Amino acid sequence: MKKIIVSLILFSHTLSAQYTDINIIKEVKVRNKGVVVSAHPLASEAGAKVLKMGGNAYDAIISTQYALAVVYPQAGNIGGGGFLVGVKNNGEKFTIDYRETAPKKATHDMYVDKNGKANTDLSQNGRLAVGIPGSVAGFFATLKYCRLPMNQLIQPAIDLAEKGFAITEQEANLLNSHKDHFQKYNQSANVFVKNVPWQTGDILVQKELAETLKLIQKHGLKGFYEGKTAELLVSEMKKGNGIITLEDLKNYKVAERKALEFDYKGNNVVSMPLPSSGGILLAQMLKMAGYENLEKYQQNSTKTVQIMVEAERRAYADRAEYMGDPDFIQDKTSYLISDEYLKNRWKNFSFNKATPSSEVGKIIQQPKESDQTTHISVIDKDGNAAAVTTTLNGLYGSKVVVSGAGFFLNNEMDDFSVKPGVPNMFGAVGGEANSIQPNKRMLSSMTPTIVLKNGKPYMVVGTPGGTTIPTSVYQSIVDIVDFKLNANLSVNSPKFHHQWLPETVAVEKNFPETTIKDLEKLGYKVEKWNQIGRTEMILMDDSGNIHAVADGRGDDSVAVE
Ligand code: DON
């Protein structure tokens, strides 16, 4: 049956001018068509248009990312980095690591003052927080899997930047709430700051960004890493305490890495290896939870949360101790995800009480000194799949806009462990494995993941959310594989998260109260958070039905070829 079924459009609203018809589509069921799920309807549409033009999933992922850099400035980027996990319809698996690197002038203690105090304001805000952007190099590295040329793939983003588009309510609110930061960290005026507050439907035109994209269109990689764009970026650095040089930019290299693969109950999970902790954490958590026959329980029940949180606690303790850039440290992945190691790690699990975090990892100290990322899931009609998570780190990254080039720079340096035991902006601690060294990649949590059944993509999934990323992807897989839930229930049900330190279990505000009460009785400290993650999920069944769901927590939207 070749009929396309487009159904279950949960809500769709339209903003009123150039790119002013913004239809947010949350859920779609189709056959024999490609789909793109991303954080913004115009970006998903840019990807779907490329599929219509004969492009494949990898063409679509490039166009969607460029479009996100325009329509979703809080996280979409050319000034940040990301990871792509791909599975081609011939079974070939690959990953592209376009994570930012530390500048050559970076040093181990660059955020620690002479009294030994870490200054995380410097690793999180302003020019010193910026790692060498990898995104554009990542897009070019993806090209060899594509069918269409870069000059065509970048065009939708140029049009969106040049002609402008209507901003959503969420973007308007965020731009307004960050105005002070934009003014504090930028000397020059930029299009993100207005005298009057932003309102839903206001048109954001980005002429400087359009010019930068045109330079990339005309000169390829050199249009970003050399010439005018690179010079503007370096002169932006010189306006403050930035240390990125022209040489740093010219020397940036992506890394193509072997995907991290493991079996989960007969499914082959394909995810990101180091320098993302995501794949390892996912393998550790699923395997440990697997020792307890999770399928016997229900989503968000007390026993489920106990098992899953205790697996999270043990995995995140390992993250802090052992994980970092594999080009700089000894890569212990195969040991860390082995049953031999994990069964031993699971030995002190008990249903009777919470395991104290001090029993599963070495706590260096617990000082309290003192987001933004986005995921895209794509499948094309030929069965090629791509999962990409890309980030500026915090919302609008370092808040620094490259004057004259019109794009935000990341604050990814904060993902390093700036000092052993000092939490980063997501509360994650680390040690020497993730310490700062020139040219090193900072440890990530991004977990773009493709699950295969009988060798074919069954699930394409990922989310933003800092350290909550691996735990959200973990919940998604358990929901589908163990609890047999549908994609909508998995994506939109309340989530929970634990990361060894702090000892708290975070739950979304609508989490079942009975489970919270039970957990508290067992010694868990539970904290309510507004929201966890923004998951984009595509499920494919054996008979070729595709079910795509964009997270209800944001402007996330599905587009069909
Ligand atoms: O790479 C990482 O793990 C972080 N920079 C991701 C940040 C993030 O997801 C923020 N989004 N909410």
Side-chain angles (χ1 to χ4, degrees), residues 83 97-103 132 252-257 272-278 280 318-333 336 412-413 415-417 430-445:
F83 300 120
D97 161 0
Y98 39 108
R99 182 69 163 167
E100 299 91 328
T101 52
I132 318 299
Y252 180 83
K253 295 266 177 310
V254 303
E256 302 205 28
R257 302 184 189 275
M272 197 62 210
L274 291 175
S276 181
S277 60
I280 301 179
D318 286 355
R319 182 190 195 277
E321 176 86 24
Y322 302 114
M323 299 182 211
D325 182 342
D327 298 338
F328 284 74
I329 61 159
Q330 198 195 344
D331 184 347
K332 299 196 168 79
T333 304
L336 291 173
E412 220 71 58
M413 291 297 284
D415 269 344
F416 279 117
S417 169
E432 214 35 58
N434 189 31
S435 65
I436 304 171
Q437 287 180 61
N439 305 321
K440 187 176 175 184
R441 284 159 149 85
M442 52 297 279
L443 183 64
S444 174
S445 299

Side-chain angles (χ1 to χ4, degrees), residues 78-343:
I78 53 172
F83 300 120
L84 181 155
V85 172
V87 178
K88 287 170 56 178
N89 59 1
N90 63 3
E92 185 190 337
K93 294 149 200 149
F94 63 98
T95 79
I96 304 176
D97 161 0
Y98 39 108
R99 182 69 163 167
E100 299 91 328
T101 52
K104 198 167 167 207
K105 287 188 188 146
T107 58
H108 188 277
D109 293 328
M110 62 191 278
Y111 302 111
V112 179
D113 69 18
K114 53 182 186 306
N115 303 316
K117 190 171 175 329
N119 185 345
T120 46
D121 180 42
L122 287 177
S123 63
Q124 291 171 12
N125 298 299
R127 297 170 182 85
L128 196 60
V130 185
I132 318 299
S135 290
V136 175
F139 306 161
F140 278 89
T142 308
L143 260 190
K144 69 171 183 251
Y145 300 98
C146 293
R147 294 186 189 140
L148 303 176
M150 187 61 96
N151 61 3
Q152 214 170 325
L153 299 174
I154 199 172
Q155 191 61 45
I158 295 176
D159 294 341
L160 285 161
E162 209 157 44
K163 295 177 188 154
F165 64 97
I167 62 168
T168 63
E169 187 182 350
Q170 288 210 0
E171 194 71 55
N173 290 341
L174 278 178
L175 286 169
N176 290 333
S177 62
H178 283 76
K179 181 176 175 177
D180 290 351
H181 274 105
F182 297 158
Q183 287 175 318
K184 180 170 175 190
Y185 295 108
N186 293 284
Q187 277 88 21
S188 320
N190 61 63
V191 291
F192 304 104
V193 175
K194 291 203 307 179
N195 291 333
V196 293
W198 287 98
Q199 289 184 3
T200 312
D202 278 354
I203 304 295
L204 175 60
V205 176
Q206 299 171 78
K207 295 274 187 221
E208 289 183 353
L209 179 56
E211 289 313 309
T212 303
L213 295 171
K214 284 183 192 168
L215 286 173
I216 298 169
Q217 189 180 43
K218 189 164 176 205
H219 302 292
L221 261 186
K222 290 186 175 170
F224 185 84
Y225 290 97
E226 294 178 48
K228 185 176 167 198
T229 312
E231 279 155 21
L232 287 169
L233 199 158
V234 170
S235 53
E236 188 59 54
M237 290 288 120
K238 290 183 180 151
K239 287 182 190 159
N241 50 358
I243 54 173
I244 294 177
T245 61
L246 288 173
E247 191 198 356
D248 280 329
L249 291 165
K250 202 172 163 186
N251 290 340
Y252 180 83
K253 295 266 177 310
V254 303
E256 302 205 28
R257 302 184 189 275
K258 193 172 170 313
L260 188 147
E261 289 182 60
F262 60 94
D263 175 81
Y264 185 61
K265 301 189 175 172
N267 302 284
N268 183 21
V269 182
V270 184
S271 193
M272 197 62 210
L274 291 175
S276 181
S277 60
I280 301 179
L281 292 175
L282 196 58
Q284 291 190 307
M285 296 185 298
L286 284 169
K287 286 185 174 195
M288 283 190 272
Y291 301 146
E292 296 297 328
N293 300 325
L294 258 186
E295 67 279 1
K296 284 198 307 211
Y297 307 104
Q298 281 96 43
Q299 185 196 43
N300 294 344
S301 69
T302 307
K303 286 240 173 350
T304 296
V305 178
Q306 267 191 288
I307 294 167
M308 292 183 74
V309 157
E310 291 301 341
E312 292 171 6
R313 189 192 308 274
R314 287 155 181 79
Y316 277 78
D318 286 355
R319 182 190 195 277
E321 176 86 24
Y322 302 114
M323 299 182 211
D325 182 342
D327 298 338
F328 284 74
I329 61 159
Q330 198 195 344
D331 184 347
K332 299 196 168 79
T333 304
S334 47
Y335 179 61
L336 291 173
I337 67 172
S338 68
D339 281 312
E340 176 204 357
Y341 173 70
L342 293 170
K343 281 195 174 141

Side-chain angles (χ1 to χ4, degrees), residues 99 371-373 391 393 412 415 426 444-446 464-466 469:
R99 182 69 163 167
D371 48 10
Q372 188 70 12
T373 302
T391 187
N393 198 22
E412 220 71 58
D415 269 344
F426 301 102
S444 174
S445 299
M446 294 189 285
I469 296 173

Side-chain angles (χ1 to χ4, degrees), residues 309-317 354-355 357 360 498 500 503 524:
V309 157
E310 291 301 341
E312 292 171 6
R313 189 192 308 274
R314 287 155 181 79
Y316 277 78
T355 313
S357 283
V360 302
H498 179 67
W500 179 57
E503 292 229 20
Y524 291 91

